[in-house]
Amino acid sequence: DESFVEAQIQLAEGLAEKGDVSEAIFILREVENLSRNNFFSHTALGDLLRSEEKFSLALQEYSSALGLIRGKKIETSWVTYFFRGICYQELGDWDRARNDYLKALDISPGQPEVLNYLGYSLIERKEELDQALTMIEKAIERDPESGYIVDSLAWGLFKLGRYEEALRPMKKAFDLLPFDPIINDHLGDILWNNGDKKGAKLYWKRSLSFNPKEEEISKIRKKIKYGYD
């Protein structure tokens, strides 16, 4: 019964919001045992597994969901392609990730989250920087108050060597998300390359106080000690 499946998905989502992700996953697994051909149970389980950074398992669920709608153009399926792309990227398969991002944009052009994610990823990979910046600018037009998207614009300008131009959007991103470790780190980098070394170290230290990812901590500490390399 479709109403039963929908109720179980809502129950699982509620449990996940309360922090009981393992029980939520168990419920969705049970739903799949009863109804393996349900697009929404696959995507809901994929979302939970992705939130737990179980990207290989999440990828399987998203692929199963998309396999059920092959040949059909469903407006909301852009989200599934987007999230599957994130899984591919986390697993090191950039070509498939990029294809999924582009498919998401083909289904729903102008989605700011996808434009930003793809643009930022290209910047981090040092690929097609001008095109990436254009994507991020389009994302900002759609969502001008997103601190993460504004940060991406600043970071793109920074990667292009336009340090002074990057400062204004970087400060706006900080105003929008002052406690984000990545944004504080980026602001430090941009300040350093604009000659404000004291200010840069201040924001790098702030970044450390907001629990950045483990792999970023040593990089930030190195910058505090030696400056931006």
Side-chain angles (χ1 to χ4, degrees), residues 4-162:
F4 171 77
V5 173
E6 183 180 347
Q8 292 300 96
I9 291 173
Q10 290 178 356
L11 172 60
E13 290 173 346
L15 287 167
E17 288 177 5
K18 291 181 177 296
D20 196 348
V21 177
S22 60
E23 180 64 17
I25 291 173
F26 175 79
I27 287 172
L28 290 174
R29 288 288 190 204
E30 289 295 298
V31 171
E32 287 195 346
N33 288 334
L34 295 170
S35 177
R36 291 190 177 277
N37 295 324
N38 188 285
F39 174 84
F40 297 104
S41 65
H42 280 299
T43 55
L45 182 53
D47 291 344
L48 287 179
L49 292 166
R50 180 175 51 83
S51 72
E52 293 293 288
E53 299 188 354
K54 297 177 180 179
F55 298 112
S56 293
L57 294 174
L59 178 60
Q60 293 174 21
E61 296 301 327
Y62 291 135
S63 295
S64 294
L66 291 169
L68 293 171
I69 61 168
R70 189 174 288 115
K72 302 175 184 176
K73 191 165 185 178
I74 299 176
E75 290 183 7
T76 58
S77 65
W78 72 266
V79 179
T80 310
Y81 279 104
F82 176 41
F83 288 158
R84 190 176 72 167
I86 291 173
C87 293
Y88 274 129
Q89 187 169 351
E90 291 291 339
L91 294 168
D93 193 338
W94 169 245
D95 289 338
R96 284 192 173 93
R98 177 177 176 143
N99 286 340
D100 272 358
Y101 298 147
L102 293 175
K103 180 66 176 178
L105 290 172
D106 179 58
I107 296 168
S108 185
Q111 285 293 336
E113 299 93 342
V114 186
L115 287 167
N116 179 57
Y117 210 96
L118 176 55
Y120 187 86
S121 297
L122 288 169
I123 288 168
E124 287 295 288
R125 295 175 61 84
K126 300 179 182 178
E127 297 175 4
E128 304 173 37
L129 293 178
D130 290 329
Q131 182 181 352
L133 200 63
T134 298
M135 290 180 186
I136 294 167
E137 287 170 344
K138 288 181 179 178
I140 288 178
E141 289 176 5
R142 294 293 186 99
D143 192 359
E145 297 304 310
S146 168
Y148 294 115
I149 298 178
V150 177
D151 169 67
S152 295
L153 174 61
W155 198 238
L157 292 168
F158 174 78
K159 289 291 188 177
L160 288 169
R162 294 154 64 177

